[in-house]
Amino acid sequence: MQAATSLTPSQLADFLLNVATVRPVFIWGAPGIGKSALVARFARSVGLPCVSLLGSQLAPEDLMGVPQIQGGVTRFCPPAMIARAEPYCLFLDELNACSQDVQKAFYSLILDRRVGEYELPAGSIVIGAGNRAQDSAIVKPMSSALMNRMVHVHMKVSASEWLQWAVAEGLHPLVIDYLTQRPDHLWSQPPRHEEPFSTPRAWHMLSDALHAFGDAPAPGMVEAVAAGCLTPQHAAQFKAFTKLADDRHRLDAILKGDARWPHEPRDRDLLYFLAQAFRARLLKVLPAEKNLVSGEVQTLVHTSKAMLKDLAQISLEMAQIVVADENGQTLPAWYMVEVVRDLPRLVERREKA
């Protein structure tokens, strides 16, 4: 499903407050990015209990109820969790994973707010959510009739918002520190084959496991838990990060001129992590257009080129990692022009590789 706009969790909360109160909303998004948690928080914020139905586990009768003969006529009695006297937020999770028959059962509930003779109490809210076909999740085509009964919006991951939440919730310091350095590792596209992959939910699970191990988890345990939760590349870098925890703030020191790149052969893991973190910092800070460069960013530009030169003298491969095209992410073109001008050998070797 294609949508023109994707919203961060905070933007989506405001969207729901204004739209879901008047029309049913369907939230699209990848697994593990917090759709269910956001709906639960939204329901609490408006003072409504949240009733969740999992579409992938429903049969039509679970929604429509079973027939009973009352006064010589047949009446359908909807389940007690739906047939409530007070208003509530009805959350239809994995709605696009249910069968066509179940989708049909939702038609009147979503459009007319009615199941048989039962009508949702005034003030009730209906929100649906589901994954996308490209997420390698269980999804089924949503009928046009059901699509047209809801307002559709996509949810996207926001590393800054998630980190604020993680600090407030007391997630493990190693998780917070790592993702502060590598916010681009908070989420990765679900793989086509069966392996763990990084999501906000996966990092939360990793944090819970690290807390459970106490103050000094064995390195082997950290590696095992990280490999069981995260994208393999992210798990490997997190493992290196935990081994080098005392050096995790060295990039800031190098940027300030208070430290230099590690250059001993035994420091290769640290050098690799710092090179990746340096690249992530540049991607985050450098604007797409040169005319948007502020004085502070211009200072970073000069500093970063000197750092690239020093890094290339230690390891050309590591310097090339900083300026490489990785998963479609590239440094701004204007910055690369300056790199080509000042460090031509670095870019020439990268192009030949």
Side-chain angles (χ1 to χ4, degrees):
M1 191 272 181
Q2 301 297 322
T5 303
S6 295
L7 302 180
T8 66
S10 62
Q11 292 172 329
L12 188 51
D14 186 56
F15 181 91
L16 293 176
L17 183 62
N18 289 278
V19 179
T21 52
V22 294
R23 287 290 181 178
V25 171
F26 189 92
I27 303 170
W28 296 84
I33 63 172
K35 299 185 295 296
S36 303
L38 181 132
V39 173
R41 289 197 301 271
F42 166 74
R44 288 195 299 270
S45 72
V46 296
L48 295 177
C50 186
V51 176
S52 297
L53 296 180
L54 200 59
S56 59
Q57 298 180 8
L58 290 177
E61 57 270 20
D62 294 328
L63 186 64
M64 299 301 297
V66 294
Q68 294 184 1
I69 298 177
Q70 300 177 0
V73 297
T74 299
R75 299 182 185 275
F76 282 85
C77 298
M81 66 183 305
I82 295 178
R84 298 185 172 211
E86 299 297 326
Y88 64 97
C89 177
L90 178 59
F91 179 42
L92 309 175
D93 200 5
E94 297 185 8
L95 179 56
N96 59 336
C98 61
S99 67
Q100 292 293 320
D101 288 340
V102 176
Q103 289 188 25
K104 291 177 184 177
F106 278 117
Y107 285 1
S108 62
L109 176 61
I110 292 174
L111 182 63
D112 301 322
R113 306 165 66 82
R114 179 186 297 275
V115 179
E117 298 182 12
Y118 170 75
E119 187 173 351
L120 292 180
S124 295
I125 294 173
V126 179
I127 300 174
N131 304 132
R132 308 158 303 178
Q134 64 263 38
D135 296 323
S136 301
I138 300 175
V139 295
K140 296 180 181 179
M142 191 181 296
S143 70
S144 58
L146 188 56
M147 286 282 297
N148 198 236
R149 282 167 161 79
M150 295 176 288
V151 179
H152 297 265
V153 63
H154 279 220
M155 178 175 171
K156 64 181 179 181
V157 174
S158 168
S160 60
E161 291 183 13
W162 189 86
L163 282 167
Q164 290 176 4
W165 169 86
V167 171
E169 291 294 317
L171 266 65
H172 199 281
L174 284 174
V175 169
I176 293 173
D177 288 348
Y178 180 84
L179 289 174
T180 299
Q181 295 277 353
R182 297 304 309 266
D184 54 316
H185 284 188
L186 178 59
W187 179 83
S188 61
Q189 183 68 33
R192 295 291 182 184
H193 46 283
E194 298 173 348
E195 70 178 20
F197 61 101
S198 301
T199 66
R201 179 167 59 200
W203 285 104
H204 195 177
M205 291 191 297
L206 175 59
S207 170
D208 288 346
L210 292 175
H211 275 308
F213 277 111
D215 295 335
M221 293 296 99
V222 172
E223 179 180 3
V225 175
C229 295
L230 308 176
T231 299
Q233 178 192 7
H234 298 174
Q237 292 198 37
F238 182 78
K239 173 191 171 185
F241 176 78
T242 58
K243 288 171 57 181
L244 305 162
D246 292 338
D247 293 296
R248 60 183 179 271
H249 300 300
R250 189 182 291 192
L251 178 61
D252 291 323
I254 298 173
L255 284 165
K256 294 176 182 177
D258 297 334
R260 300 184 64 81
W261 294 108
H263 58 276
E264 298 292 338
R266 65 175 181 274
D267 293 330
R268 183 173 177 82
D269 283 349
L270 175 58
L271 187 64
Y272 178 72
F273 172 79
L274 290 171
Q276 288 279 6
F278 183 37
R279 169 184 164 78
R281 182 76 62 90
L282 293 176
L283 285 169
K284 179 180 179 181
V285 174
L286 297 180
E289 303 296 334
K290 189 174 183 179
N291 60 357
L292 299 176
V293 173
S294 64
E296 184 178 349
V297 174
Q298 187 61 51
T299 300
L300 173 63
V301 170
H302 291 308
T303 302
S304 66
K305 288 189 292 184
M307 289 172 61
L308 271 173
K309 182 178 180 181
D310 291 344
L311 181 59
Q313 291 175 348
I314 298 170
S315 170
L316 186 59
E317 176 189 358
M318 296 296 179
Q320 289 168 347
I321 287 174
V322 177
V323 298
D325 180 343
E326 181 179 327
N327 298 324
Q329 287 187 313
T330 58
L331 296 174
W334 63 265
Y335 180 80
M336 291 303 300
V337 168
E338 296 198 17
V339 171
V340 170
R341 182 189 64 203
D342 297 345
L343 302 168
R345 286 186 62 253
L346 173 62
V347 180
E348 288 172 6
R349 291 288 300 272
R350 182 174 67 88
E351 291 175 347
K352 293 177 181 178

